Amino acid sequence: MSDLTIPQLLALNPDELHLLPTGWSTIAGALTSAAGDADRANRRLPQVWSKGQAAASASGALFALGDDLEAAENATRQIGLALDAYAHGMITLRRRALQVISEAEDAGYGIDPKTGTITPPESGPGNMGRPTMSARTLLQHLADITTQARSLDATTAARITANTPSPDGVIPQRTGRGLVDRAAVEAQRGRDPKGVYAWWQGLSPEERGYAITAYPELIGWLNGVPARDRDQANRIVLADARAAIPVQRADAEAQLAAVRLALAEARTHTSTTDPYAADKLGQEEARLMTTIANLDARDSALGKIDSRINGAGDPPAFLLGLDTVTHDGRAIVAIGDPDTAAHTATLVPGVGTTMNSIGGQMDRAAQLQGSASKFAEGTGQVSVVTWIGYDAPEWDGSAAASDRAKQGGAALDQFVGGLRASHEGPPTHFTAVGHSYGSTVIGQATQVGHLAVDDIVTAGSPGMDVNSARDLHIDPRHVYAGAASEDVVTMAGPLAHNTAPSDEMFGANRYNVDTSGHSGYWDPDSDSLHNQGAIIGGQPRKANLTVEAAP
């Protein structure tokens, strides 16, 4: 294993790292051309020289040369690929280390980048108001980065060695282990999570570390990959996303300044310019202002995720999915480790939810986790996942349609299957909790796939696109519905998504809800929160039910 240190990582030059694979790619291209020349010469040889032992020897030599050239091209290209992944991976890890150090310094720590020496914050009134970071958290972050950097360093060294001629000049004919090909990772997307888990377990620790660092945007979304590994990959995605926002904002601000200058000019000289110029520039100004506002909202959301997963509180949080590119964005955060929890719940939000809503959704998940933990035996027994893993409808006509519920249902089914596949020890007791349109997503997940949950809880549901609890392919006694007073969604929803689960005709249990409106189901100290916690924590008899479902 490599002995790379944080100071050595910080000393790497990103510009020089990017140049590493360039020469190897050039050599590989030249070897490909030479191998082609040898092949063409060998095919033409019999036409001019086919008789005698010398002709046979010449043909054999050309065959051997062609094989050697192809082997050398393959080995050289593999080294170039390894160095390319090494460069991108080390640059990302270096950026993460700099971010951690910056946050630690803001919290009052002193860190010498040349020696790695850490000086704890001084106590006293001078540090009042500083952001907090425990020494344990700081050391864990740096240890995680060091482990990944060493793994990538060792894997890359092994890959180069495997593709280097032996002391007697023999060129490797095949690629060795150590480099996980991007195509191999992409091939896992959409697979049965059990198959993904088996593939992941079949990789060596070095290969897993390499894949996490080289392809974090892929590994972070693979259902079947363990939670801690997904978390490591998505932390890289998070660091990259946060680092990109200031650059994007500065670019948008520069464009906005230029547009406003042109707009002022157009308004001053209306008689000599395009009469529509001011209108066009005004529209562009509004677009750029919206872009900046969206970037600020995205930065705030990412900051909340960062704070949650890096907080010193218990239980720890895990980032199981992050996508800042697709439409409104995606984010999946677990409060508690779902791979070891005895009780796991997935909270599926509804109408109007985007990645920028993650702060409130994580708060709800934390409330549920705390409530359920009171009913579970032992500590660390409950994990609640806030799952913004689909494109939720807006407050418009899209909420009345089922298209997004079907897409979300398929994704949710895969996600739950992934947590089942990677869970350690006895199977976890799994609850799907759906708020608003999120319950419609759960309903569709039971139809498009086999949603592997033990209990289903709805809150403020407009309907689940089925007529009764039995249609969810689960014992109705394991379906629990709640509807608050003055929740207009439960009143209007059935017009589009069939019978509301809280309707007596649906045949589900109904738990008491003492909150009002559409968003208060997780108010602290409420009976509604208590009841959901009891169900998630495996103690449904301690929930206050107003109606009990028939067998």
Side-chain angles (χ1 to χ4, degrees), residues 44-86:
R44 288 197 302 268
L45 185 62
Q47 299 173 13
V48 296
W49 191 18
S50 60
K51 303 289 186 181
Q53 186 175 353
S57 296
S59 178
L62 275 174
F63 266 120
L65 176 61
D67 287 344
D68 284 347
L69 287 170
E70 288 181 0
E73 182 275 333
N74 177 67
T76 304
R77 195 171 298 281
Q78 291 300 325
I79 291 174
L81 288 171
L83 290 173
D84 184 58
Y86 176 86

Side-chain angles (χ1 to χ4, degrees), residues 94-307:
R94 181 178 182 274
R95 185 163 55 241
R96 284 181 61 201
L98 288 171
Q99 182 180 348
V100 169
I101 290 172
S102 175
E103 292 173 355
E105 289 174 340
D106 288 343
Y109 288 89
I111 301 179
D112 187 333
K114 294 183 179 180
T115 64
T117 303
I118 299 175
T119 305
E122 295 181 1
S123 58
N127 280 322
M128 295 294 290
R130 282 182 178 271
T132 59
M133 175 185 285
S134 69
R136 177 183 177 185
T137 298
L138 171 59
L139 292 174
Q140 185 60 57
H141 288 341
L142 294 177
D144 288 344
I145 293 171
T146 301
T147 298
Q148 292 181 39
R150 288 178 175 178
S151 176
L152 178 58
D153 192 45
T155 301
T156 305
R159 190 76 201 109
I160 292 172
T161 300
N163 286 283
T164 301
S166 63
D168 57 359
V170 177
I171 301 173
Q173 294 295 313
R174 292 183 178 274
T175 60
R177 292 172 63 83
L179 175 64
V180 181
D181 188 275
R182 184 181 183 88
V185 179
E186 289 179 332
Q188 306 306 313
R189 293 194 290 189
R191 284 190 66 195
D192 184 330
K194 293 180 180 178
V196 174
Y197 178 76
W199 166 77
W200 187 251
Q201 295 304 116
L203 300 177
S204 69
E206 290 77 17
E207 288 173 314
R208 291 196 290 268
Y210 180 95
I212 287 170
T213 306
Y215 319 114
E217 76 286 0
L218 298 179
I219 299 299
W221 283 95
L222 283 184
N223 296 310
V225 170
R228 289 185 180 274
D229 294 332
R230 290 181 69 163
D231 176 69
Q232 285 189 25
N234 285 304
R235 284 172 184 264
I236 296 174
V237 176
L238 175 63
D240 286 346
R242 296 204 71 186
I245 287 179
V247 177
Q248 295 168 344
R249 197 183 195 285
D251 181 61
E253 286 179 332
Q255 292 182 54
L256 180 60
V259 166
R260 284 176 170 168
L261 186 63
L263 183 57
E265 181 74 14
R267 287 171 175 166
T268 303
H269 304 284
T270 55
S271 60
T272 58
T273 60
D274 178 358
Y276 299 105
D279 289 342
K280 294 175 182 176
L281 289 168
Q283 293 173 6
E284 181 64 7
E285 179 187 37
R287 185 190 70 80
L288 287 168
M289 291 175 65
T290 299
T291 296
I292 291 171
N294 289 339
L295 286 170
D296 289 343
R298 181 60 50 86
D299 188 43
S300 175
L302 294 177
K304 290 174 182 176
I305 293 174
D306 204 332
S307 296

Side-chain angles (χ1 to χ4, degrees), residues 299-364:
D299 188 43
S300 175
L302 294 177
K304 290 174 182 176
I305 293 174
D306 204 332
S307 296
R308 178 72 69 170
I309 64 174
N310 289 318
D314 190 49
F318 300 83
L319 185 54
L320 304 184
L322 184 65
D323 177 2
T324 63
V325 177
T326 304
H327 196 53
D328 292 329
R330 308 279 193 275
I332 305 174
V333 179
I335 310 298
D337 188 349
D339 282 348
T340 59
H343 305 276
T344 303
T346 297
L347 175 60
V348 185
V351 177
T353 304
T354 68
M355 197 200 78
N356 293 345
S357 312
I358 189 65
Q361 294 299 327
M362 289 190 297
D363 290 343
R364 291 176 178 178

